[in-house]
Amino acid sequence: MESILVLTHADETGTALTKASLETVTAGKELAARLGAELRIGIVAKHASGASTQVASAGAKLLAVQGERYAQARFASDAAACEALWRAAQATIVLAPHSSRFARVMAAVAYRVGGAIDTHVTAIGGTEDVEATRWFYRQRIEAVLARTARPWFLLVETGINAAFAAAGTHEPFAGEAPHSNVDEVAIAVELPPMRTEVTGFRAPQQSQQTIRPDAKLLFVAGAGWTKKQPDGQVHVEEAGKLILDFLAGSGASLGSSKSLVDQGGEGQSVLPFLTHLNQVGQTGSTPRHPKGLATCCHGEEPHVVGWRFIGERRAVSLDPNCGWTRGKADVVYVADAFKVMAKVNELMGSEG
Ligand SMILES: Cc1cc2nc3c(=O)[nH]c(=O)nc-3n(C[C@H](O)[C@H](O)[C@H](O)COP(=O)(O)OP(=O)(O)OC[C@H]3O[C@@H](n4cnc5c(N)ncnc54)[C@H](O)[C@@H]3O)c2cc1C
């Protein structure tokens, strides 16, 4: 008989669970209902009571590790906390969000308790047995895995894309009426000596956050924005303004082709708000948005493979023979993206 533990962690407030954690709670609840298995939720937070309240109506026994040590991500304390939660729950199946915080500790936790782990899980199926779905080779092959090893840890991909069910993943658990005075069982952790103190974050200077995983639209900028245009000139400043105006008006997330972000290293004209974090594709990210619009991008396979989980794809390219027109997009506008985006911004009233 399986028993299920969902491991969760708080966000930067230290009290509320992350969206990814709540999505994993939904996955755990669904799996427990299907298998008729007992469900426990383990919480790692600075203050666990707020998090407990959020998941109180999930029908699970709540276990919590809390304290100042767990306010921020750190391998030693997070791994010890997750191990202690598992030892208290002794579950056969452990689900955890594939967040950066848990992704870096969970393989160690599985090893410490003699278990197995699979990552990037997009769906969990099976009625008698547990079956985990994930993609391989940069989303080119989808596989369904079953294991006899227990405990089996599954890191569940985050993000929702209702338009494309194969992306899997789950709605965040919303619960019913908020409960007060929820009792979570406090779990003691034996912490090893802490060699790392988190003193703060340093991030590259960016004028604004352009990567928005929850946006309805992914807007991709390709290298064409910085290439010579029909008048024989490059128009990088104009390109930057058109793109930023569109992002401001639409709330879209900004993706890029590899060629465009690579240009920075080659000393060519680049859009200053783009980094390699924006890169979509085989050696970039695989974002999950219901819709995508590619502009000035050729739509080559190593780029388009990053669009696996984009529901509806459109592209604006000058080249009628580009990859998008060869079956990679639902709609292709063979047109000048400078003109198209200027018109779109005008219609949205977002030209600055
Ligand atoms: C191992 C490997 C891994 C790779 N990984 C990735 C990856 O992760 N992500 C990725 O993106 N690429 C990746 N690539 C590179 C990929 O193959 C392409 O080279 C890259 O995607 C091309 O970028 P692009 O389409 O922006 O540029 P280009 O190929 O230069 O295309 C620019 C396009 O813009 C169009 N254009 C120009 N001006 C306008 C205008 N005014 N209006 C409309 N259209 C215009 C042109 O017609 C052209 O089609 C990888 C390659 C390899 C070998």
Side-chain angles (χ1 to χ4, degrees):
M1 179 74 182
E2 305 283 14
S3 58
I4 297 160
L5 170 66
V6 176
L7 292 172
T8 63
H9 62 84
D11 61 17
E12 58 284 353
T13 64
T15 56
L17 290 178
T18 60
K19 181 166 164 278
S21 293
L22 293 169
E23 289 171 12
T24 313
V25 169
T26 303
K29 216 170 133 27
E30 285 174 11
L31 182 65
R34 205 164 52 241
L35 300 177
E38 193 179 7
L39 177 66
R40 289 187 175 82
I41 297 175
I43 297 165
V44 179
K46 186 177 174 189
H47 303 293
S49 57
S52 300
T53 310
Q54 281 177 285
V55 292
S57 61
K61 191 169 171 189
L62 306 183
L63 312 172
V65 168
Q66 63 176 330
E68 189 61 43
R69 285 290 193 193
Y70 311 102
Q72 283 179 321
R74 172 182 31 225
F75 180 88
S77 44
D78 282 348
C82 292
E83 182 185 346
L85 286 166
W86 184 83
R87 292 202 185 280
Q90 299 282 328
T92 57
I93 303 288
V94 183
L95 309 185
H98 207 302
S99 59
S100 59
R101 181 166 182 174
F102 271 1
R104 69 176 176 161
V105 300
M106 219 46 80
V109 178
Y111 178 78
R112 287 178 191 181
V113 302
I117 183 165
D118 282 284
T119 60
H120 293 290
V121 171
T122 53
I124 303 163
T127 41
E128 302 291 302
D129 208 352
V130 180
E131 293 172 351
T133 301
R134 66 155 292 173
W135 295 75
F136 287 96
Y137 301 110
R138 301 303 297 186
Q139 338 312 336
R140 287 185 173 97
I141 297 173
E142 188 183 29
V144 178
L145 312 171
R147 285 187 190 271
T148 49
R150 298 288 184 270
W152 188 17
F153 286 66
L154 299 170
L155 279 174
V156 182
E157 281 283 18
T158 67
I160 244 303
N161 185 344
F164 189 46
T169 67
H170 306 83
E171 291 282 358
F173 178 74
E176 288 129 36
H179 290 224
S180 50
N181 301 325
V182 184
D183 277 338
E184 70 272 343
V185 179
I187 304 299
V189 182
E190 216 172 292
L191 282 175
M194 293 288 124
R195 288 185 303 181
T196 310
E197 277 306 322
V198 182
T199 55
F201 290 103
R202 252 193 246 175
Q205 286 284 321
Q206 265 192 314
S207 54
Q208 66 178 110
Q209 181 53 266
T210 56
I211 300 171
R212 301 164 180 157
D214 294 326
K216 293 205 174 74
L217 177 70
L218 170 71
F219 178 86
V220 160
W225 282 108
T226 59
K227 297 269 168 70
K228 274 190 187 160
Q229 291 303 307
D231 63 0
Q233 306 294 316
V234 293
H235 298 276
V236 180
E237 261 181 46
E238 187 188 343
K241 186 170 176 319
L242 283 170
I243 293 168
L244 289 180
D245 283 351
F246 178 72
L247 295 181
S250 65
S253 186
L254 179 63
S256 172
S257 69
K258 181 166 162 48
S259 290
L260 184 55
V261 287
D262 278 354
Q263 281 174 16
E266 301 301 325
Q268 295 177 36
S269 302
V270 281
L271 301 169
F273 45 85
L274 278 172
T275 73
H276 278 95
L277 292 176
N278 294 94
Q279 184 184 320
V280 171
Q282 178 172 333
T283 42
S285 63
T286 311
R288 294 156 192 269
H289 301 275
K291 293 182 178 183
L293 177 65
T295 52
C296 293
C297 170
H298 197 73
E300 283 181 32
E301 171 63 14
H303 174 74
V304 179
V305 73
W307 284 60
R308 170 66 81 186
F309 300 134
I310 303 295
E312 191 189 318
R313 307 160 177 208
R314 296 190 179 202
V316 186
S317 175
L318 277 179
D319 185 353
N321 279 319
C322 70
W324 300 111
T325 60
R326 294 166 182 257
K328 306 275 194 210
D330 301 301
V331 178
V332 183
Y333 306 95
V334 179
D336 184 338
F338 280 83
K339 291 187 183 143
V340 173
M341 295 318 296
K343 187 70 187 169
V344 170
N345 286 344
E346 185 193 316
L347 291 172
M348 288 198 308
S350 60
E351 78 274 40

